[in-house]
Amino acid sequence: MPEIREIPVPVDAPAPLPEPDADDLRLETVLGALSDPLRLEIVQRLLLEREDFDHTCGWFGFDRPKSSLTHHFRALREAGVIRQRQYGLERRSHVRTDDLDARFPGLTTLVAAWTPPAD
Amino acid sequence: MPEIREIPVPVDAPAPLPEPDADDLRLETVLGALSDPLRLEIVQRLLLEREDFDHTCGWFGFDRPKSSLTHHFRALREAGVIRQRQYGLERRSHVRTDDLDARFPGLTTLVAAWTPPAD
């Protein structure tokens, strides 16, 4: 079983960008946001490989246009899967593990166990 | 915790309609098929309220055009969430609980615990 890394929020972290409250998370919306291999990879790597509290989209090393990545990260934030904070010019993300585990127990484990498509 | 009903396959059941093998199920595809309130309701009711091995779309009592329902049931079958069999003029469905539990442990529990949107 892959281990999900927990790193506490730094005391000087900026406020989160707008996002749904934990009580307002909807399973159908969260599943829709995760129904894409790139988004599953983003969430899985944030769960399993995080080195800091949150990470920029550059940290992932995706060979994709920045505008496309921005779209996917925003979709994950608006569904309530990730939390994003603005650090100056940089936007950093981490998974809302506590909120997802409270509302949808087992979901982060499913994402952590996901196998990327062979291609 | 709602109880998922298991009913064994009748010996005289017709062969299943075309569907992906359990080994070929993809989490991103299954989550996409479930990212809709009507489809979550179909799967949840098949899990929790089933009275027979499988059920026609009429059993659910949805106030929707048959063509729309046919589309949603087919999407669930093609993603590997439900199995469908043709009984004469009727098509009946049940959830592939064993396959989903083997490939994506916890997913059927998440669907069983889903709360439909208030409307």
Side-chain angles (χ1 to χ4, degrees):
Chain A
M1 185 72 77
E3 189 185 345
I4 293 176
R5 298 189 181 187
E6 296 287 352
I7 298 179
V9 54
V11 290
D12 59 348
L17 296 181
E19 63 179 23
D21 290 341
D23 287 346
D24 294 332
L25 299 186
R26 293 293 317 160
L27 182 62
E28 55 271 35
T29 308
V30 167
L31 297 187
L34 293 171
S35 65
D36 175 276
L38 181 71
R39 295 186 196 168
L40 279 172
E41 182 173 345
I42 290 170
V43 178
Q44 185 184 61
R45 289 181 58 190
L46 285 174
L47 288 172
L48 302 181
E49 300 176 15
R50 80 192 281 198
E51 300 164 312
D52 295 309
F53 172 66
D54 46 11
H55 285 285
T56 66
C57 65
W59 174 76
F60 297 85
F62 291 125
D63 185 19
R64 299 249 191 165
K66 180 128 197 277
S67 59
S68 159
L69 292 176
T70 300
H71 161 74
H72 287 297
F73 279 86
R74 188 177 60 237
L76 287 168
R77 170 168 58 87
E78 290 178 348
V81 177
I82 64 172
R83 177 164 291 151
Q84 293 189 290
R85 290 175 160 85
Q86 192 79 31
Y87 297 75
L89 294 177
E90 278 185 349
R91 190 167 283 191
R92 293 169 172 264
S93 306
H94 72 103
V95 180
R96 295 174 62 176
T97 313
D98 290 348
D99 293 334
L100 294 174
D101 289 351
R103 289 294 315 281
F104 312 120
L107 182 62
T108 56
T109 306
L110 277 175
V111 175
W114 174 68
T115 308
D119 54 12
Chain B
M1 181 73 77
E3 189 185 347
I4 292 177
R5 297 190 182 185
E6 296 287 353
I7 298 179
V9 54
V11 290
D12 58 348
L17 295 181
E19 63 180 23
D21 290 341
D23 288 346
D24 294 332
L25 299 186
R26 295 292 315 160
L27 183 61
E28 54 271 36
T29 308
V30 167
L31 297 187
L34 292 171
S35 64
D36 176 275
L38 181 71
R39 295 186 196 169
L40 280 173
E41 181 173 346
I42 290 169
V43 178
Q44 185 183 62
R45 289 182 58 190
L46 284 174
L47 287 173
L48 302 181
E49 300 175 15
R50 79 194 281 199
E51 300 163 311
D52 294 309
F53 171 65
D54 47 11
H55 284 286
T56 65
C57 66
W59 174 76
F60 296 85
F62 292 124
D63 184 19
R64 299 247 191 167
K66 181 129 200 280
S67 60
S68 160
L69 293 175
T70 301
H71 161 74
H72 287 297
F73 279 87
R74 188 177 60 239
L76 288 168
R77 170 168 57 87
E78 291 178 347
V81 176
I82 64 173
R83 178 163 292 152
Q84 293 189 290
R85 290 176 161 85
Q86 192 77 32
Y87 297 76
L89 293 176
E90 279 185 349
R91 189 167 284 190
R92 293 170 171 261
S93 306
H94 72 104
V95 180
R96 294 175 61 177
T97 314
D98 290 348
D99 293 334
L100 294 174
D101 289 351
R103 290 295 314 281
F104 312 120
L107 182 62
T108 55
T109 306
L110 277 174
V111 175
W114 174 69
T115 307
D119 55 11

